[in-house]
Amino acid sequence: MDDRYYPQTVEEKWQRVWEENKSFRAVRDDARPKYYVLEMFPYPSGRIHMGHVRNYSIGDVVARYKRMRGLNVLHPMGWDAFGLPAENAAIERNIHPEAWTRDNIQYMNTQLKRMGLSYDWDREIATCEPDYYRWNQWIFLKFYERGLAYKKSSFVNWCPSCLTVLANEQVIEGACWRCDSVVVQKELEQWFSRITAYAEELLNNLDRLAGWPDKVVTMQRNWIGRSEGAEFDLPVVGRDDLKVRIFTTRPDTAFGMTYAVLAPEHPLVDKLVADAGERAQVEAFRAEVSKQSEQERTAEDRPKRGLRLSSSVTNPFTGVAIPLFIADYVLLGYGTGAIMAVPGEDQRDWDFAKRYGLDIIETVQRPADWTGEAYTGEGVKINSGFLNGLDVEEAKRRAIDWLVEGGLGEAKINYRLRDWGVSRQRYWGTPIPIVYCDKCGIVPVPEKDLPVTLPRDVPFTGKGGSPLAESKSFVETTCPGCGAAARRETDTMDTFVDSSWYFLRFTSPSYAAKPFDPTEADYWMAVDQYIGGVEHAVLHLLYARFFTKALRDLGLTKADEPFTNLLTQGMVSKETYRCEEHEWLFPSELVGSEAEGWRCPKCGRPAIKGRVEKMSKSKKNIVDPEDLIAQYGADTARLFTLFAAPPEKDLEWNSQGVEGAFRFLTRLWRFVVQNQEQLAAARAPSDLPADLKDLNRLVHRTIKKVTEDIETRFHFNTAIAAIMELLNAVIAAAQKESLDGRAAVVKEALVAIVTLLYPFVPHVASELWSALGQKQPLDEVGWPAYSSAALEQEKLLIVVQVNGKVRGKITVPADASGEAVEAMALADPKVKGFVAGKGIHKVIQVPRRLVNIVLEG
RNA sequence: GCCCGGAUGGUGGAAUUGGUAGACACACGGGACUUAAAAUCCCGAGGCCCCGGAAGGGGCCGUGCCGGUUCGAGUCCGGCUCCGGGCACCA
């Protein structure tokens, strides 16, 4: 064996072995416990980035560790292959989205293989394949049958110049990213998925997700946003046929209602306008509002704008007529799209009332010392008719009772969660399997005609409507019902549909009769450990939960929840550089030096060191993992990303640290190779000298620490640090004298090091394993166990504090009594100096750790 | 704006349950080896200050900021600041 470490040779060798042996193929085996570990599959953007390296390194540690623990591990990988960037490439570079995507997948596939990840590649899937997306269509049809997919009108970002729908990402400060025109909200008929039907279950089951980070559970809970309240009608004055239905969480405050507000887009508004003049005003107001994003409309620090309508409504509680407005801060999509306004107890209403000179009535008694504007706290009801004297909770109940008795309204639970708009006016996605017939209306494509495949004859211009509408061969079809000429739906599905059930497809990736084989899914589901970026905390993870429940209710799976344990990894970020003139700069293109200041290569201006940002191509702060792997090997790339920070934390990239990871592997390699012969001949000595006893204890302590760090919290950085410490100790012990007589203990330590390192750096670990003379392949070796007996210490180091400050350290026998430890602490010369002449108030002991002497006075 | 996080040496981080702050590593400085360099190995190191000729010893301060609880706070509580993620058509 060469005593220099050449990662490329080692890694190629082991990757070939794993591929030839299909070492990581997962086969259902009802006799064995399974473990399903999954990392969020990537979008094939072209090349893998450091975020992928981090994500997949973490997943691979888990997969390999669990295999060593004897579990039947499923660890698959695939491609989230539909999406906007492929279509942008088609528009900008005249490459077909399919070709672009296929090339990217191929390239990234080799990149992932070069990392030595233990995937079952036989299960690879790509969501853009008809074999995959036909099941999106199949599920859509099942949802449609059950009312879980339906059509309604909603708003999209519209560029009036490009005449096209824009993604939020394509709207930059309210303007189109290509032509800079002001983007407006345009109403379109679109398909929705009824996630709100599962709102209650999605909320309640959060309590069962003990293996999820609290913050993700909290974010989802807030996102679903359950609120209890009431819905009731406000009759329009002088218009017996018209009523404004409102939702409120505070029915107790109805006596303080001094005006009411409709969302500007509310359909009732059109019926309320009195004449052409008012209509023009309403239209002008709507046009203004349509330029605002929802975020701007609801921001609490912005002035709320409204338009008073000529109509009034009656407050049913008081019988008093109150003004009616349309205003930007009321959204059509939430509740009923209309509110009663109680400025006394709602800050937004208070702001609006002040701006438009409206009355404010207080209906809750303020505490005596309270100052402020709207009051939202507890208190006794005042100015509230039959509710006077009650507390808020009781008043809510009485108000609802009163509404129900009068037939005016009802108790209502409302969710902030909205139904999921799945329509996209784009090409590179799953065609929605619907046909429009003049006679039969909306007709679902029959199951036997699936998949509805994407046509090739589509121009990509970036202008106009949905690209599929341009394909005659696609649009023109016959009605499955009556056979007459009909038109296909030209919208495609949101790509979140693809990723909402792919984990189920992985259990039987080529199953042809259904989206997945129920027998396989029953064995492998749920995913035991899911790993991915924290940026998916709400949308993807909520949609996947929804789909799992809906597919369960279709009888396809027994799983209630898709992911038992969730690890949300932090982002990989790096500092950025920019030039006033030429924007973002690659660090590699800067001229000058760190000391004198970097300069822009184009104009020589100083390069400004910008903020640390999430790595992205546009900000030119990416590190290409390929370069890293080419230079140091996959093991070093993996080791460094795992060592640099715990997985859930953001990782600020610092390329210098990589050297350290590489050096560690080199040190280990050299030590093993140089001592190979002595280690192979090692015999266990009968009685260990004290320093070797310490080393032996450290071996077992390290096994314990690494096991716990992986098992309980995925803190690979501290696990690796512990292994590094053990290697340092081994080398130090071996250096003191020759290896003779101590080779056995040293060898035991090295065997432990190599075994513990296997999940992190599998190639080099496998190679060193054979160098240590081990016969059985490391892939098949179990995880090492530690001996509690070997962990026993004879002496303990105890910290002695006086008044909470460390004043001394004493070594005591492990079995010393509390009294004995206290006596030894007080006998310590340094401690004596601090205690001398003062009375002892009390002594606090933390067994095996600390003594704190608290003095009087 | 709203929801959710985060902040510890020159740097990444460690301290797992309120008990030695800075493990491990990077960068840096000094030394060994070398004709020289690289590589490798050894040593040093939070800041400020004091004692000593030196080796060494000692004190105070210190975990974003202000306040609190406690014998004891990086860790708990209250109030801020700054940074990051998400906000429903990026994935």
Side-chain angles (χ1 to χ4, degrees):
Chain A
M1 230 171 131
D2 202 311
D3 71 347
R4 277 196 61 188
Y5 166 48
Y6 293 107
Q8 314 299 340
T9 323
V10 176
E11 290 174 6
E12 269 170 42
K13 171 183 162 184
W14 287 98
Q15 283 164 21
R16 198 167 52 244
V17 169
W18 294 328
E19 184 152 8
E20 281 167 7
N21 295 347
K22 288 197 181 285
S23 305
F24 311 115
R25 195 168 52 168
V27 180
R28 177 168 59 87
D29 179 352
D30 294 321
R32 285 178 67 200
K34 64 92 186 181
Y35 191 89
Y36 185 0
V37 52
L38 181 68
E39 299 106 57
M40 291 179 185
F41 65 166
Y43 178 77
S45 55
R47 306 172 73 82
I48 60 168
H49 54 66
M50 287 313 306
H52 294 132
V53 171
R54 193 179 193 197
N55 193 175
Y56 305 149
S57 297
I58 295 166
D60 205 46
V61 173
V62 176
R64 290 182 187 261
Y65 171 78
K66 292 291 177 181
R67 269 186 216 106
M68 290 176 94
R69 288 252 117 154
L71 296 162
N72 190 21
V73 170
L74 172 59
H75 188 211
M77 181 41 72
W79 307 96
D80 188 11
F82 274 137
L84 202 50
E87 218 158 309
N88 290 335
I91 295 163
E92 283 157 19
R93 291 187 274 152
N94 200 29
I95 309 167
H96 194 274
E98 187 181 329
W100 185 84
T101 304
R102 199 191 324 107
D103 290 351
N104 287 348
I105 287 175
Q106 198 179 11
Y107 194 79
M108 291 172 74
N109 178 293
T110 60
Q111 287 190 306
L112 289 186
K113 286 191 170 151
R114 185 62 194 81
M115 280 186 65
L117 302 163
S118 65
Y119 294 125
D120 178 355
W121 281 108
D122 289 352
R123 292 177 187 256
E124 183 177 3
I125 57 176
T127 57
C128 63
E129 298 293 336
D131 272 355
Y132 186 87
Y133 71 70
R134 70 173 295 169
W135 300 113
N136 282 344
Q137 295 171 338
W138 187 89
I139 292 167
F140 183 92
L141 294 174
K142 296 291 171 196
F143 278 19
Y144 181 70
E145 278 171 27
R146 300 187 154 228
L148 289 176
Y150 68 98
K151 234 182 161 183
K152 74 172 179 188
S153 132
S154 86
F155 291 84
V156 293
N157 301 314
W158 181 258
C159 174
S161 162
C162 302
L163 301 175
T164 193
V165 177
L166 298 176
N168 288 339
E169 189 191 45
Q170 300 170 322
V171 180
I172 313 295
E173 288 168 10
C176 172
W177 67 332
R178 286 194 208 283
C179 70
D180 225 33
S181 312
V182 173
V183 173
V184 299
Q185 298 301 304
K186 187 188 180 197
E187 199 165 6
L188 275 185
E189 280 282 305
Q190 305 203 77
W191 288 96
F192 281 79
S193 189
R194 207 180 298 277
I195 189 172
T196 52
Y198 286 86
E200 196 65 30
E201 192 187 342
L202 287 167
L203 182 68
N204 290 337
N205 279 15
L206 286 173
D207 296 336
R208 291 196 225 155
L209 297 177
W212 283 39
D214 291 343
K215 63 169 173 177
V216 176
V217 170
T218 306
M219 278 191 259
Q220 292 212 352
R221 181 170 290 123
N222 292 340
W223 186 264
I224 296 167
R226 183 181 196 272
S227 53
E228 290 182 13
E231 236 182 66
F232 60 94
D233 293 323
L234 309 178
V236 177
V237 175
R239 295 286 295 272
D240 293 345
D241 55 326
L242 296 181
K243 293 174 283 201
V244 174
R245 185 81 169 174
I246 64 102
F247 172 77
T248 178
T249 56
R250 293 292 304 274
D252 63 293
T253 63
F255 284 90
M257 175 194 329
T258 54
Y259 64 98
V261 186
L262 290 164
E265 308 88 352
H266 200 292
L268 195 61
V269 174
D270 295 313
K271 294 181 188 160
L272 290 171
V273 290
D275 52 35
E278 186 173 25
R279 178 164 298 279
Q281 281 185 310
V282 166
E283 289 310 323
F285 186 77
R286 282 177 168 171
E288 274 309 302
V289 170
S290 81
K291 288 176 194 161
Q292 283 183 287
S293 72
E294 197 174 294
Q295 233 174 89
E296 288 168 331
R297 285 177 60 173
T298 52
E300 283 176 17
D301 62 338
R302 279 166 213 259
K304 290 147 186 62
R305 292 184 304 174
L307 175 71
R308 184 165 177 172
L309 300 177
S310 56
S311 303
S312 304
V313 291
T314 306
N315 177 349
F317 284 80
T318 59
V320 172
I322 54 172
L324 181 62
F325 284 79
I326 55 177
D328 56 0
Y329 76 104
V330 175
L331 302 177
L332 186 61
Y334 184 78
T336 58
I339 60 157
M340 69 169 193
V342 184
E345 277 90 32
D346 185 293
Q347 188 61 41
R348 292 160 302 178
D349 297 345
W350 195 93
D351 294 339
F352 190 84
K354 278 286 167 192
R355 188 175 160 103
Y356 289 93
L358 299 156
D359 293 341
I360 298 174
I361 299 171
E362 298 183 351
T363 74
V364 182
Q365 183 67 54
R366 273 65 172 158
D369 56 346
W370 186 80
T371 54
E373 299 172 341
Y375 177 74
T376 55
E378 289 298 321
V380 173
K381 299 303 300 184
I382 53 172
N383 301 324
S384 293
F386 65 89
L387 300 176
N388 280 337
L390 301 174
D391 66 29
V392 169
E393 276 315 301
E394 180 60 18
K396 280 183 184 173
R397 282 192 289 274
R398 294 282 186 87
I400 292 170
D401 290 346
W402 183 84
L403 287 166
V404 172
E405 280 161 26
L408 298 165
E410 60 191 352
K412 179 87 179 179
I413 292 161
N414 200 39
Y415 299 92
R416 204 188 73 97
L417 178 69
R418 305 197 293 249
D419 276 341
W420 172 14
V422 296
S423 282
R424 297 291 181 271
Q425 293 69 42
R426 309 196 195 290
Y427 171 80
W428 196 231
T430 305
I432 292 175
I434 291 288
V435 167
Y436 298 101
C437 169
D438 287 339
K439 219 169 74 190
C440 312
I442 295 175
V443 184
V445 172
E447 241 178 80
K448 65 174 171 55
D449 294 339
L450 297 183
V452 176
T453 52
L454 286 168
R456 294 284 306 198
D457 60 336
V458 174
F460 297 101
T461 59
K463 296 200 177 242
S466 181
L468 285 178
E470 305 297 314
S471 168
K472 266 189 144 185
S473 66
F474 178 82
V475 174
E476 291 176 3
T477 186
T478 52
C479 171
C482 69
R487 297 171 47 80
R488 280 193 196 281
E489 169 66 65
T490 57
D491 283 356
T492 53
M493 295 182 203
D494 180 5
T495 56
F496 273 126
V497 171
D498 312 339
S499 54
S500 291
W501 66 281
Y502 76 110
F503 41 90
L504 286 156
R505 184 69 181 169
F506 272 138
T507 65
S508 49
S510 39
Y511 194 63
K514 289 270 174 63
F516 49 89
D517 182 344
T519 315
E520 295 290 333
D522 286 347
Y523 176 73
W524 292 111
M525 285 295 286
V527 175
D528 295 276
Q529 184 65 54
Y530 195 39
I531 305 163
V534 65
E535 65 272 22
H536 294 288
V538 177
L539 292 180
H540 161 60
L541 288 167
L542 194 64
Y543 293 146
R545 294 182 61 219
F546 159 53
F547 255 56
T548 302
K549 291 170 192 303
L551 294 173
R552 174 202 62 198
D553 291 344
L554 287 171
L556 291 172
T557 174
K558 291 177 184 156
D560 289 318
E561 288 286 342
F563 315 122
T564 309
N565 296 291
L566 174 69
L567 175 63
T568 50
Q569 58 163 6
M571 310 265 183
V572 181
S573 60
K574 193 177 186 297
E575 82 267 3
T576 51
Y577 290 92
R578 60 189 306 170
C579 160
E580 280 177 35
E581 175 80 21
H582 298 97
E583 287 296 312
W584 303 102
L585 302 168
F586 288 109
S588 58
E589 66 181 355
L590 299 175
V591 294
S593 68
E594 179 86 59
E596 292 165 31
W598 297 104
R599 308 194 150 272
C600 172
K602 291 174 196 145
C603 62
R605 276 179 232 260
I608 305 150
K609 195 165 184 175
R611 292 192 321 197
V612 171
E613 307 224 30
K614 177 180 167 178
M615 280 192 186
S616 78
K617 261 187 205 162
S618 61
K619 290 177 185 147
K620 301 196 174 176
N621 62 341
I622 45 169
V623 172
D624 195 331
E626 197 168 285
D627 300 341
L628 192 66
I629 291 169
Q631 196 179 346
Y632 296 100
D635 281 334
T636 295
R638 295 165 57 126
L639 187 67
F640 174 65
T641 52
L642 295 166
F643 179 62
E648 71 279 2
K649 218 177 144 152
D650 283 350
L651 172 59
E652 195 180 314
W653 188 260
N654 166 8
S655 54
Q656 290 164 327
V658 179
E659 283 285 349
F662 183 71
R663 272 209 287 264
F664 166 70
L665 295 179
T666 305
R667 244 154 75 84
L668 174 63
W669 178 278
R670 210 173 29 233
F671 186 80
V672 170
V673 173
Q674 283 172 354
N675 299 295
Q676 211 170 351
E677 282 173 26
Q678 277 170 295
L679 291 170
R683 296 267 180 286
S686 50
D687 203 16
L688 289 178
D691 66 321
L692 288 188
K693 229 174 194 171
D694 286 345
L695 181 59
N696 188 53
R697 183 180 306 122
L698 187 60
V699 169
H700 288 269
R701 208 193 300 161
T702 305
I703 295 173
K704 182 168 191 275
K705 168 133 185 84
V706 173
T707 306
E708 287 170 357
D709 280 348
I710 296 177
E711 192 77 50
T712 63
R713 49 176 206 165
F714 300 121
H715 276 207
F716 308 128
N717 56 332
T718 51
I720 293 165
I723 301 172
M724 287 175 169
E725 282 183 76
L726 179 56
L727 180 65
N728 290 344
V730 167
I731 292 177
Q735 256 168 4
K736 262 198 224 162
E737 307 164 38
S738 83
L739 270 181
D740 305 331
R742 49 183 67 218
V745 178
V746 167
K747 183 174 174 179
E748 190 200 357
L750 284 170
V751 167
I753 287 171
V754 169
T755 318
L756 295 174
L757 276 177
Y758 172 78
F760 306 101
V761 287
H763 314 85
V764 66
S766 298
E767 188 69 19
L768 291 176
W769 181 255
S770 10
L772 285 168
Q774 308 292 320
K775 297 285 178 290
Q776 194 188 10
L778 184 50
D779 307 317
E780 294 165 21
V781 167
W783 188 252
Y786 60 88
S787 139
S788 308
L791 288 173
E792 288 300 324
Q793 285 175 275
E794 287 131 35
K795 288 180 177 174
L796 298 171
L797 181 72
I798 303 284
V799 171
V800 185
Q801 295 182 334
V802 179
N803 283 340
K805 293 196 178 193
V806 179
R807 298 301 185 188
K809 288 163 194 181
I810 55 174
T811 304
V812 305
D815 55 1
S817 68
E819 292 81 27
V821 171
E822 185 176 326
M824 281 184 271
L826 287 166
D828 183 82
K830 260 197 76 183
V831 174
K832 261 185 180 164
F834 282 94
V835 176
K838 289 163 193 149
I840 294 171
H841 173 60
K842 60 175 169 175
V843 176
I844 291 158
Q845 276 207 40
V846 180
R848 301 172 72 88
R849 301 197 78 147
L850 171 139
V851 177
N852 185 13
I853 298 154
V854 184
L855 302 176
E856 278 170 349

